[in-house]
Amino acid sequence: MPAVARNRSVPNIVVSDSDCDRLTDLATASLERLPEVAEELLSEMERAKVVSEDKVPPDVVRMGSKVTFRSDAGTDGEQHELTETLVYPADEDSDAHKLSVMTPVGAALIGLAVGQSISWTARNGRKHRLTVMKVS
């Protein structure tokens, strides 16, 4: 298990079977190029409750979800509210607020429900905590 996962609170998450399969394949293929994020995403898929597409609750972040979340930047306590669409790396576009699941925050968001919070570590090593506010 990657060091990042051991140091964060891990709420229960739900992922569709098709998202789980595709994300597991993506993370496995990215192990050499983006090892920390790939390992984190694999860890998330291993602990997720995997259900059929029609059993994923509407308030759970899945691929293609537009999610509003509040992020605490760690030690300075400053909070930001962001709205992003969670996408695969090929569709990432910061100008259009499309966030790749192969980023630390994208991997942290997958499977969370409204009201759930999770701690995660940015690529610069800084600790963050985010809370999902809305999913559409």
Side-chain angles (χ1 to χ4, degrees), residues 59 61 65-73 78-87 97-100 103-110 112-120 128-136:
D59 67 341
V61 179
S65 291
K66 184 175 183 178
V67 58
T68 300
F69 60 96
R70 187 175 58 234
S71 180
D72 145 2
E78 188 177 333
Q79 295 203 352
H80 306 277
E81 192 166 295
L82 302 165
T83 300
E84 302 279 345
T85 300
L86 190 61
V87 298
H97 300 281
K98 292 183 177 181
L99 175 69
S100 172
T103 61
V105 69
L109 282 167
I110 191 75
L112 291 177
V114 170
Q116 285 186 309
S117 298
I118 194 165
S119 297
W120 59 281
H128 296 272
R129 184 158 184 85
L130 64 83
T131 302
V132 175
M133 310 302 290
K134 181 181 178 184
V135 177
S136 56

mmCIF file of all heavy atoms in Angstrom, residues 59 61 65-73 78-87 97-100 103-110 112-120 128-136:
data_model
loop_
_atom_site.group_PDB
_atom_site.id
_atom_site.type_symbol
_atom_site.label_atom_id
_atom_site.label_comp_id
_atom_site.label_asym_id
_atom_site.label_seq_id
_atom_site.Cartn_x
_atom_site.Cartn_y
_atom_site.Cartn_z
ATOM 1 N N ASP A 59 -25.576 10.667 -5.796
ATOM 2 C CA ASP A 59 -24.724 11.662 -5.133
ATOM 3 C C ASP A 59 -23.272 11.202 -4.995
ATOM 4 O O ASP A 59 -22.504 11.785 -4.241
ATOM 5 C CB ASP A 59 -25.293 12.035 -3.765
ATOM 6 C CG ASP A 59 -25.241 10.886 -2.759
ATOM 7 O OD1 ASP A 59 -25.113 9.708 -3.173
ATOM 8 O OD2 ASP A 59 -25.315 11.166 -1.546
ATOM 9 N N VAL A 61 -19.475 10.512 -6.688
ATOM 10 C CA VAL A 61 -18.593 10.956 -7.769
ATOM 11 C C VAL A 61 -18.166 9.753 -8.588
ATOM 12 O O VAL A 61 -17.627 8.787 -8.067
ATOM 13 C CB VAL A 61 -17.337 11.667 -7.217
ATOM 14 C CG1 VAL A 61 -16.421 12.095 -8.362
ATOM 15 C CG2 VAL A 61 -17.714 12.865 -6.350
ATOM 16 N N SER A 65 -18.711 12.812 -13.731
ATOM 17 C CA SER A 65 -19.491 13.613 -12.788
ATOM 18 C C SER A 65 -18.954 15.033 -12.728
ATOM 19 O O SER A 65 -17.742 15.260 -12.764
ATOM 20 C CB SER A 65 -19.402 13.045 -11.368
ATOM 21 O OG SER A 65 -20.062 11.833 -11.240
ATOM 22 N N LYS A 66 -19.872 15.975 -12.587
ATOM 23 C CA LYS A 66 -19.510 17.353 -12.280
ATOM 24 C C LYS A 66 -19.609 17.453 -10.764
ATOM 25 O O LYS A 66 -20.672 17.200 -10.194
ATOM 26 C CB LYS A 66 -20.475 18.326 -12.966
ATOM 27 C CG LYS A 66 -20.108 19.772 -12.777
ATOM 28 C CD LYS A 66 -21.056 20.643 -13.596
ATOM 29 C CE LYS A 66 -20.678 22.095 -13.500
ATOM 30 N NZ LYS A 66 -21.577 22.910 -14.350
ATOM 31 N N VAL A 67 -18.502 17.760 -10.121
ATOM 32 C CA VAL A 67 -18.456 17.738 -8.656
ATOM 33 C C VAL A 67 -17.987 19.080 -8.106
ATOM 34 O O VAL A 67 -17.038 19.664 -8.608
ATOM 35 C CB VAL A 67 -17.556 16.572 -8.152
ATOM 36 C CG1 VAL A 67 -16.151 16.665 -8.688
ATOM 37 C CG2 VAL A 67 -17.526 16.509 -6.646
ATOM 38 N N THR A 68 -18.709 19.556 -7.112
ATOM 39 C CA THR A 68 -18.302 20.751 -6.383
ATOM 40 C C THR A 68 -17.734 20.274 -5.057
ATOM 41 O O THR A 68 -18.374 19.485 -4.353
ATOM 42 C CB THR A 68 -19.496 21.696 -6.151
ATOM 43 O OG1 THR A 68 -20.024 22.080 -7.431
ATOM 44 C CG2 THR A 68 -19.080 22.947 -5.389
ATOM 45 N N PHE A 69 -16.530 20.718 -4.748
ATOM 46 C CA PHE A 69 -15.899 20.314 -3.505
ATOM 47 C C PHE A 69 -15.168 21.482 -2.870
ATOM 48 O O PHE A 69 -14.758 22.426 -3.541
ATOM 49 C CB PHE A 69 -14.951 19.125 -3.719
ATOM 50 C CG PHE A 69 -13.814 19.379 -4.677
ATOM 51 C CD1 PHE A 69 -12.564 19.749 -4.220
ATOM 52 C CD2 PHE A 69 -14.000 19.228 -6.043
ATOM 53 C CE1 PHE A 69 -11.517 19.978 -5.094
ATOM 54 C CE2 PHE A 69 -12.954 19.443 -6.939
ATOM 55 C CZ PHE A 69 -11.711 19.820 -6.460
ATOM 56 N N ARG A 70 -15.063 21.406 -1.563
ATOM 57 C CA ARG A 70 -14.325 22.403 -0.791
ATOM 58 C C ARG A 70 -12.991 21.770 -0.436
ATOM 59 O O ARG A 70 -12.946 20.635 0.036
ATOM 60 C CB ARG A 70 -15.110 22.766 0.463
ATOM 61 C CG ARG A 70 -14.512 23.900 1.252
ATOM 62 C CD ARG A 70 -15.375 24.323 2.418
ATOM 63 N NE ARG A 70 -15.597 23.183 3.305
ATOM 64 C CZ ARG A 70 -16.804 22.756 3.676
ATOM 65 N NH1 ARG A 70 -17.893 23.324 3.215
ATOM 66 N NH2 ARG A 70 -16.915 21.736 4.502
ATOM 67 N N SER A 71 -11.926 22.492 -0.686
ATOM 68 C CA SER A 71 -10.592 21.982 -0.395
ATOM 69 C C SER A 71 -9.918 22.884 0.611
ATOM 70 O O SER A 71 -9.875 24.102 0.449
ATOM 71 C CB SER A 71 -9.763 21.931 -1.681
ATOM 72 O OG SER A 71 -8.472 21.438 -1.408
ATOM 73 N N ASP A 72 -9.416 22.272 1.658
ATOM 74 C CA ASP A 72 -8.656 22.983 2.672
ATOM 75 C C ASP A 72 -7.200 22.789 2.291
ATOM 76 O O ASP A 72 -6.753 21.676 2.064
ATOM 77 C CB ASP A 72 -9.036 22.378 4.020
ATOM 78 C CG ASP A 72 -7.911 22.309 5.026
ATOM 79 O OD1 ASP A 72 -6.799 22.752 4.739
ATOM 80 O OD2 ASP A 72 -8.162 21.799 6.122
ATOM 81 N N ALA A 73 -6.488 23.868 2.184
ATOM 82 C CA ALA A 73 -5.110 23.814 1.689
ATOM 83 C C ALA A 73 -4.104 23.384 2.748
ATOM 84 O O ALA A 73 -2.918 23.582 2.577
ATOM 85 C CB ALA A 73 -4.727 25.165 1.099
ATOM 86 N N GLU A 78 -6.720 28.005 4.628
ATOM 87 C CA GLU A 78 -7.511 28.661 3.591
ATOM 88 C C GLU A 78 -8.340 27.613 2.852
ATOM 89 O O GLU A 78 -7.858 26.534 2.548
ATOM 90 C CB GLU A 78 -6.576 29.373 2.611
ATOM 91 C CG GLU A 78 -7.286 30.237 1.612
ATOM 92 C CD GLU A 78 -6.308 30.983 0.721
ATOM 93 O OE1 GLU A 78 -5.178 31.240 1.152
ATOM 94 O OE2 GLU A 78 -6.697 31.290 -0.408
ATOM 95 N N GLN A 79 -9.605 27.940 2.590
ATOM 96 C CA GLN A 79 -10.470 26.994 1.891
ATOM 97 C C GLN A 79 -10.873 27.550 0.534
ATOM 98 O O GLN A 79 -11.067 28.747 0.380
ATOM 99 C CB GLN A 79 -11.712 26.697 2.718
ATOM 100 C CG GLN A 79 -11.362 25.991 4.004
ATOM 101 C CD GLN A 79 -12.517 25.211 4.558
ATOM 102 O OE1 GLN A 79 -13.626 25.284 4.085
ATOM 103 N NE2 GLN A 79 -12.236 24.444 5.581
ATOM 104 N N HIS A 80 -10.987 26.645 -0.415
ATOM 105 C CA HIS A 80 -11.394 26.995 -1.773
ATOM 106 C C HIS A 80 -12.538 26.086 -2.150
ATOM 107 O O HIS A 80 -12.536 24.909 -1.812
ATOM 108 C CB HIS A 80 -10.241 26.769 -2.761
ATOM 109 C CG HIS A 80 -8.977 27.450 -2.387
ATOM 110 N ND1 HIS A 80 -8.734 28.761 -2.669
ATOM 111 C CD2 HIS A 80 -7.882 26.999 -1.711
ATOM 112 C CE1 HIS A 80 -7.546 29.096 -2.207
ATOM 113 N NE2 HIS A 80 -7.007 28.040 -1.613
ATOM 114 N N GLU A 81 -13.517 26.621 -2.870
ATOM 115 C CA GLU A 81 -14.576 25.769 -3.404
ATOM 116 C C GLU A 81 -14.387 25.715 -4.908
ATOM 117 O O GLU A 81 -14.255 26.746 -5.561
ATOM 118 C CB GLU A 81 -15.955 26.326 -3.054
ATOM 119 C CG GLU A 81 -17.051 25.322 -3.331
ATOM 120 C CD GLU A 81 -18.373 25.687 -2.694
ATOM 121 O OE1 GLU A 81 -18.452 25.704 -1.461
ATOM 122 O OE2 GLU A 81 -19.315 25.957 -3.448
ATOM 123 N N LEU A 82 -14.338 24.504 -5.430
ATOM 124 C CA LEU A 82 -14.089 24.284 -6.852
ATOM 125 C C LEU A 82 -15.181 23.407 -7.433
ATOM 126 O O LEU A 82 -15.721 22.544 -6.738
ATOM 127 C CB LEU A 82 -12.739 23.585 -7.050
ATOM 128 C CG LEU A 82 -11.511 24.275 -6.490
ATOM 129 C CD1 LEU A 82 -10.333 23.327 -6.443
ATOM 130 C CD2 LEU A 82 -11.179 25.484 -7.334
ATOM 131 N N THR A 83 -15.466 23.611 -8.711
ATOM 132 C CA THR A 83 -16.372 22.732 -9.443
ATOM 133 C C THR A 83 -15.614 22.222 -10.659
ATOM 134 O O THR A 83 -15.120 23.013 -11.467
ATOM 135 C CB THR A 83 -17.655 23.462 -9.867
ATOM 136 O OG1 THR A 83 -18.323 23.934 -8.696
ATOM 137 C CG2 THR A 83 -18.586 22.535 -10.640
ATOM 138 N N GLU A 84 -15.483 20.904 -10.744
ATOM 139 C CA GLU A 84 -14.728 20.258 -11.818
ATOM 140 C C GLU A 84 -15.514 19.056 -12.321
ATOM 141 O O GLU A 84 -16.293 18.468 -11.584
ATOM 142 C CB GLU A 84 -13.367 19.767 -11.301
ATOM 143 C CG GLU A 84 -12.474 20.828 -10.709
ATOM 144 C CD GLU A 84 -11.717 21.636 -11.742
ATOM 145 O OE1 GLU A 84 -11.650 21.206 -12.914
ATOM 146 O OE2 GLU A 84 -11.188 22.694 -11.388
ATOM 147 N N THR A 85 -15.266 18.673 -13.570
ATOM 148 C CA THR A 85 -15.800 17.430 -14.112
ATOM 149 C C THR A 85 -14.671 16.417 -14.095
ATOM 150 O O THR A 85 -13.578 16.695 -14.595
ATOM 151 C CB THR A 85 -16.331 17.639 -15.546
ATOM 152 O OG1 THR A 85 -17.371 18.620 -15.511
ATOM 153 C CG2 THR A 85 -16.884 16.335 -16.118
ATOM 154 N N LEU A 86 -14.922 15.244 -13.501
ATOM 155 C CA LEU A 86 -13.891 14.210 -13.396
ATOM 156 C C LEU A 86 -13.821 13.434 -14.710
ATOM 157 O O LEU A 86 -14.819 12.852 -15.142
ATOM 158 C CB LEU A 86 -14.199 13.272 -12.229
ATOM 159 C CG LEU A 86 -13.093 12.303 -11.851
ATOM 160 C CD1 LEU A 86 -11.827 13.051 -11.406
ATOM 161 C CD2 LEU A 86 -13.563 11.374 -10.747
ATOM 162 N N VAL A 87 -12.644 13.448 -15.344
ATOM 163 C CA VAL A 87 -12.484 12.865 -16.679
ATOM 164 C C VAL A 87 -11.247 11.976 -16.742
ATOM 165 O O VAL A 87 -10.397 11.991 -15.857
ATOM 166 C CB VAL A 87 -12.369 13.970 -17.755
ATOM 167 C CG1 VAL A 87 -13.626 14.827 -17.810
ATOM 168 C CG2 VAL A 87 -11.134 14.842 -17.530
ATOM 169 N N HIS A 97 -12.419 23.279 -16.800
ATOM 170 C CA HIS A 97 -12.680 22.661 -15.488
ATOM 171 C C HIS A 97 -12.915 21.161 -15.605
ATOM 172 O O HIS A 97 -13.827 20.613 -14.999
ATOM 173 C CB HIS A 97 -13.848 23.358 -14.773
ATOM 174 C CG HIS A 97 -13.571 24.804 -14.530
ATOM 175 N ND1 HIS A 97 -12.776 25.249 -13.496
ATOM 176 C CD2 HIS A 97 -13.958 25.914 -15.213
ATOM 177 C CE1 HIS A 97 -12.700 26.563 -13.550
ATOM 178 N NE2 HIS A 97 -13.392 26.995 -14.577
ATOM 179 N N LYS A 98 -12.066 20.516 -16.403
ATOM 180 C CA LYS A 98 -12.099 19.059 -16.548
ATOM 181 C C LYS A 98 -10.841 18.513 -15.887
ATOM 182 O O LYS A 98 -9.728 18.746 -16.356
ATOM 183 C CB LYS A 98 -12.173 18.654 -18.022
ATOM 184 C CG LYS A 98 -13.499 19.030 -18.648
ATOM 185 C CD LYS A 98 -13.581 18.569 -20.084
ATOM 186 C CE LYS A 98 -14.949 18.905 -20.663
ATOM 187 N NZ LYS A 98 -15.058 18.440 -22.054
ATOM 188 N N LEU A 99 -11.036 17.791 -14.785
ATOM 189 C CA LEU A 99 -9.969 17.302 -13.932
ATOM 190 C C LEU A 99 -9.712 15.826 -14.193
ATOM 191 O O LEU A 99 -10.627 15.008 -14.115
ATOM 192 C CB LEU A 99 -10.381 17.519 -12.466
ATOM 193 C CG LEU A 99 -9.466 16.981 -11.385
ATOM 194 C CD1 LEU A 99 -8.172 17.778 -11.350
ATOM 195 C CD2 LEU A 99 -10.178 17.049 -10.043
ATOM 196 N N SER A 100 -8.454 15.480 -14.456
ATOM 197 C CA SER A 100 -8.098 14.090 -14.712
ATOM 198 C C SER A 100 -8.141 13.269 -13.426
ATOM 199 O O SER A 100 -7.679 13.706 -12.372
ATOM 200 C CB SER A 100 -6.692 14.001 -15.303
ATOM 201 O OG SER A 100 -6.268 12.644 -15.371
ATOM 202 N N THR A 103 -4.776 12.596 -11.431
ATOM 203 C CA THR A 103 -4.143 13.614 -10.601
ATOM 204 C C THR A 103 -4.428 13.219 -9.157
ATOM 205 O O THR A 103 -5.388 12.479 -8.892
ATOM 206 C CB THR A 103 -4.720 15.014 -10.882
ATOM 207 O OG1 THR A 103 -6.120 15.009 -10.586
ATOM 208 C CG2 THR A 103 -4.472 15.447 -12.326
ATOM 209 N N PRO A 104 -3.630 13.691 -8.203
ATOM 210 C CA PRO A 104 -3.906 13.323 -6.808
ATOM 211 C C PRO A 104 -5.320 13.676 -6.348
ATOM 212 O O PRO A 104 -5.985 12.857 -5.704
ATOM 213 C CB PRO A 104 -2.841 14.100 -6.027
ATOM 214 C CG PRO A 104 -1.691 14.210 -6.992
ATOM 215 C CD PRO A 104 -2.364 14.417 -8.335
ATOM 216 N N VAL A 105 -5.807 14.850 -6.695
ATOM 217 C CA VAL A 105 -7.160 15.226 -6.259
ATOM 218 C C VAL A 105 -8.218 14.432 -7.018
ATOM 219 O O VAL A 105 -9.234 14.035 -6.447
ATOM 220 C CB VAL A 105 -7.396 16.750 -6.354
ATOM 221 C CG1 VAL A 105 -7.441 17.232 -7.793
ATOM 222 C CG2 VAL A 105 -8.683 17.139 -5.633
ATOM 223 N N GLY A 106 -7.984 14.139 -8.290
ATOM 224 C CA GLY A 106 -8.932 13.335 -9.065
ATOM 225 C C GLY A 106 -9.062 11.927 -8.505
ATOM 226 O O GLY A 106 -10.168 11.405 -8.350
ATOM 227 N N ALA A 107 -7.928 11.322 -8.153
ATOM 228 C CA ALA A 107 -7.948 9.983 -7.564
ATOM 229 C C ALA A 107 -8.633 10.003 -6.200
ATOM 230 O O ALA A 107 -9.313 9.044 -5.825
ATOM 231 C CB ALA A 107 -6.529 9.431 -7.439
ATOM 232 N N ALA A 108 -8.481 11.106 -5.464
ATOM 233 C CA ALA A 108 -9.122 11.212 -4.147
ATOM 234 C C ALA A 108 -10.638 11.339 -4.271
ATOM 235 O O ALA A 108 -11.375 10.832 -3.427
ATOM 236 C CB ALA A 108 -8.553 12.413 -3.387
ATOM 237 N N LEU A 109 -11.116 12.001 -5.324
ATOM 238 C CA LEU A 109 -12.552 12.265 -5.477
ATOM 239 C C LEU A 109 -13.375 11.040 -5.878
ATOM 240 O O LEU A 109 -14.533 10.912 -5.468
ATOM 241 C CB LEU A 109 -12.781 13.351 -6.531
ATOM 242 C CG LEU A 109 -12.529 14.786 -6.094
ATOM 243 C CD1 LEU A 109 -12.488 15.704 -7.310
ATOM 244 C CD2 LEU A 109 -13.589 15.234 -5.103
ATOM 245 N N ILE A 110 -12.801 10.146 -6.678
ATOM 246 C CA ILE A 110 -13.593 9.050 -7.240
ATOM 247 C C ILE A 110 -14.262 8.221 -6.137
ATOM 248 O O ILE A 110 -13.619 7.829 -5.160
ATOM 249 C CB ILE A 110 -12.746 8.144 -8.187
ATOM 250 C CG1 ILE A 110 -13.627 7.184 -8.966
ATOM 251 C CG2 ILE A 110 -11.652 7.414 -7.448
ATOM 252 C CD1 ILE A 110 -14.396 7.802 -10.075
ATOM 253 N N LEU A 112 -16.469 9.094 -3.868
ATOM 254 C CA LEU A 112 -16.976 9.800 -2.693
ATOM 255 C C LEU A 112 -18.415 10.248 -2.909
ATOM 256 O O LEU A 112 -18.813 10.560 -4.026
ATOM 257 C CB LEU A 112 -16.128 11.033 -2.384
ATOM 258 C CG LEU A 112 -14.708 10.826 -1.888
ATOM 259 C CD1 LEU A 112 -14.022 12.176 -1.706
ATOM 260 C CD2 LEU A 112 -14.709 10.052 -0.574
ATOM 261 N N ALA A 113 -19.163 10.332 -1.825
ATOM 262 C CA ALA A 113 -20.541 10.827 -1.869
ATOM 263 C C ALA A 113 -20.587 12.230 -1.267
ATOM 264 O O ALA A 113 -19.682 12.637 -0.529
ATOM 265 C CB ALA A 113 -21.457 9.894 -1.080
ATOM 266 N N VAL A 114 -21.648 12.960 -1.575
ATOM 267 C CA VAL A 114 -21.854 14.287 -1.006
ATOM 268 C C VAL A 114 -21.745 14.197 0.516
ATOM 269 O O VAL A 114 -22.298 13.288 1.138
ATOM 270 C CB VAL A 114 -23.231 14.854 -1.427
ATOM 271 C CG1 VAL A 114 -23.560 16.124 -0.657
ATOM 272 C CG2 VAL A 114 -23.256 15.113 -2.930
ATOM 273 N N GLY A 115 -20.978 15.115 1.080
ATOM 274 C CA GLY A 115 -20.791 15.166 2.524
ATOM 275 C C GLY A 115 -19.560 14.427 3.010
ATOM 276 O O GLY A 115 -19.110 14.647 4.130
ATOM 277 N N GLN A 116 -19.000 13.549 2.184
ATOM 278 C CA GLN A 116 -17.808 12.812 2.603
ATOM 279 C C GLN A 116 -16.558 13.669 2.404
ATOM 280 O O GLN A 116 -16.487 14.495 1.494
ATOM 281 C CB GLN A 116 -17.650 11.510 1.822
ATOM 282 C CG GLN A 116 -18.602 10.429 2.257
ATOM 283 C CD GLN A 116 -18.319 9.119 1.551
ATOM 284 O OE1 GLN A 116 -18.215 9.081 0.331
ATOM 285 N NE2 GLN A 116 -18.215 8.049 2.325
ATOM 286 N N SER A 117 -15.577 13.436 3.270
ATOM 287 C CA SER A 117 -14.294 14.137 3.202
ATOM 288 C C SER A 117 -13.182 13.115 3.103
ATOM 289 O O SER A 117 -13.323 11.979 3.561
ATOM 290 C CB SER A 117 -14.077 14.971 4.469
ATOM 291 O OG SER A 117 -15.073 15.950 4.602
ATOM 292 N N ILE A 118 -12.062 13.553 2.523
ATOM 293 C CA ILE A 118 -10.888 12.687 2.427
ATOM 294 C C ILE A 118 -9.644 13.565 2.454
ATOM 295 O O ILE A 118 -9.661 14.701 1.971
ATOM 296 C CB ILE A 118 -10.935 11.816 1.142
ATOM 297 C CG1 ILE A 118 -9.918 10.693 1.211
ATOM 298 C CG2 ILE A 118 -10.759 12.661 -0.111
ATOM 299 C CD1 ILE A 118 -10.136 9.592 0.178
ATOM 300 N N SER A 119 -8.594 13.051 3.044
ATOM 301 C CA SER A 119 -7.298 13.723 3.033
ATOM 302 C C SER A 119 -6.486 13.166 1.878
ATOM 303 O O SER A 119 -6.591 11.986 1.562
ATOM 304 C CB SER A 119 -6.562 13.463 4.345
ATOM 305 O OG SER A 119 -7.275 14.015 5.418
ATOM 306 N N TRP A 120 -5.690 14.017 1.262
ATOM 307 C CA TRP A 120 -4.857 13.583 0.150
ATOM 308 C C TRP A 120 -3.592 14.419 0.119
ATOM 309 O O TRP A 120 -3.527 15.481 0.733
ATOM 310 C CB TRP A 120 -5.621 13.654 -1.175
ATOM 311 C CG TRP A 120 -6.112 15.026 -1.514
ATOM 312 C CD1 TRP A 120 -7.213 15.658 -1.006
ATOM 313 C CD2 TRP A 120 -5.521 15.956 -2.415
ATOM 314 N NE1 TRP A 120 -7.333 16.914 -1.534
ATOM 315 C CE2 TRP A 120 -6.309 17.127 -2.405
ATOM 316 C CE3 TRP A 120 -4.405 15.915 -3.238
ATOM 317 C CZ2 TRP A 120 -6.014 18.241 -3.167
ATOM 318 C CZ3 TRP A 120 -4.115 17.021 -4.012
ATOM 319 C CH2 TRP A 120 -4.917 18.163 -3.975
ATOM 320 N N HIS A 128 -3.725 17.966 2.004
ATOM 321 C CA HIS A 128 -4.980 18.679 1.792
ATOM 322 C C HIS A 128 -6.125 17.826 2.316
ATOM 323 O O HIS A 128 -5.992 16.617 2.475
ATOM 324 C CB HIS A 128 -5.228 18.922 0.292
ATOM 325 C CG HIS A 128 -4.215 19.806 -0.346
ATOM 326 N ND1 HIS A 128 -4.326 21.169 -0.374
ATOM 327 C CD2 HIS A 128 -3.059 19.505 -0.982
ATOM 328 C CE1 HIS A 128 -3.285 21.682 -1.014
ATOM 329 N NE2 HIS A 128 -2.511 20.688 -1.397
ATOM 330 N N ARG A 129 -7.253 18.458 2.536
ATOM 331 C CA ARG A 129 -8.469 17.746 2.889
ATOM 332 C C ARG A 129 -9.577 18.342 2.038
ATOM 333 O O ARG A 129 -9.688 19.557 1.917
ATOM 334 C CB ARG A 129 -8.789 17.881 4.364
ATOM 335 C CG ARG A 129 -9.994 17.064 4.774
ATOM 336 C CD ARG A 129 -9.969 16.784 6.268
ATOM 337 N NE ARG A 129 -11.066 15.922 6.646
ATOM 338 C CZ ARG A 129 -11.059 14.606 6.594
ATOM 339 N NH1 ARG A 129 -9.992 13.980 6.174
ATOM 340 N NH2 ARG A 129 -12.095 13.896 6.955
ATOM 341 N N LEU A 130 -10.379 17.483 1.427
ATOM 342 C CA LEU A 130 -11.483 17.985 0.616
ATOM 343 C C LEU A 130 -12.786 17.368 1.095
ATOM 344 O O LEU A 130 -12.799 16.279 1.668
ATOM 345 C CB LEU A 130 -11.258 17.729 -0.875
ATOM 346 C CG LEU A 130 -11.201 16.297 -1.380
ATOM 347 C CD1 LEU A 130 -12.593 15.730 -1.607
ATOM 348 C CD2 LEU A 130 -10.445 16.265 -2.688
ATOM 349 N N THR A 131 -13.860 18.091 0.844
ATOM 350 C CA THR A 131 -15.205 17.624 1.174
ATOM 351 C C THR A 131 -16.077 17.818 -0.049
ATOM 352 O O THR A 131 -16.092 18.907 -0.643
ATOM 353 C CB THR A 131 -15.799 18.425 2.352
ATOM 354 O OG1 THR A 131 -14.932 18.287 3.486
ATOM 355 C CG2 THR A 131 -17.189 17.931 2.727
ATOM 356 N N VAL A 132 -16.800 16.768 -0.443
ATOM 357 C CA VAL A 132 -17.698 16.846 -1.601
ATOM 358 C C VAL A 132 -18.970 17.582 -1.184
ATOM 359 O O VAL A 132 -19.619 17.217 -0.203
ATOM 360 C CB VAL A 132 -18.021 15.439 -2.133
ATOM 361 C CG1 VAL A 132 -19.054 15.515 -3.259
ATOM 362 C CG2 VAL A 132 -16.763 14.738 -2.610
ATOM 363 N N MET A 133 -19.311 18.614 -1.935
ATOM 364 C CA MET A 133 -20.489 19.438 -1.634
ATOM 365 C C MET A 133 -21.686 19.090 -2.528
ATOM 366 O O MET A 133 -22.818 19.126 -2.078
ATOM 367 C CB MET A 133 -20.146 20.939 -1.832
ATOM 368 C CG MET A 133 -18.881 21.385 -1.133
ATOM 369 S SD MET A 133 -18.886 21.120 0.636
ATOM 370 C CE MET A 133 -20.076 22.321 1.142
ATOM 371 N N LYS A 134 -21.401 18.787 -3.812
ATOM 372 C CA LYS A 134 -22.475 18.540 -4.772
ATOM 373 C C LYS A 134 -21.954 17.670 -5.902
ATOM 374 O O LYS A 134 -20.812 17.817 -6.322
ATOM 375 C CB LYS A 134 -22.981 19.871 -5.321
ATOM 376 C CG LYS A 134 -24.115 19.768 -6.320
ATOM 377 C CD LYS A 134 -24.529 21.144 -6.823
ATOM 378 C CE LYS A 134 -25.618 21.037 -7.858
ATOM 379 N NZ LYS A 134 -25.954 22.351 -8.416
ATOM 380 N N VAL A 135 -22.808 16.771 -6.407
ATOM 381 C CA VAL A 135 -22.457 15.910 -7.551
ATOM 382 C C VAL A 135 -23.602 15.973 -8.541
ATOM 383 O O VAL A 135 -24.764 15.837 -8.161
ATOM 384 C CB VAL A 135 -22.218 14.450 -7.124
ATOM 385 C CG1 VAL A 135 -21.940 13.566 -8.337
ATOM 386 C CG2 VAL A 135 -21.092 14.341 -6.120
ATOM 387 N N SER A 136 -23.279 16.195 -9.817
ATOM 388 C CA SER A 136 -24.329 16.191 -10.855
ATOM 389 C C SER A 136 -23.783 15.566 -12.121
ATOM 390 O O SER A 136 -22.614 15.285 -12.235
ATOM 391 C CB SER A 136 -24.842 17.600 -11.117
ATOM 392 O OG SER A 136 -23.808 18.478 -11.473
#
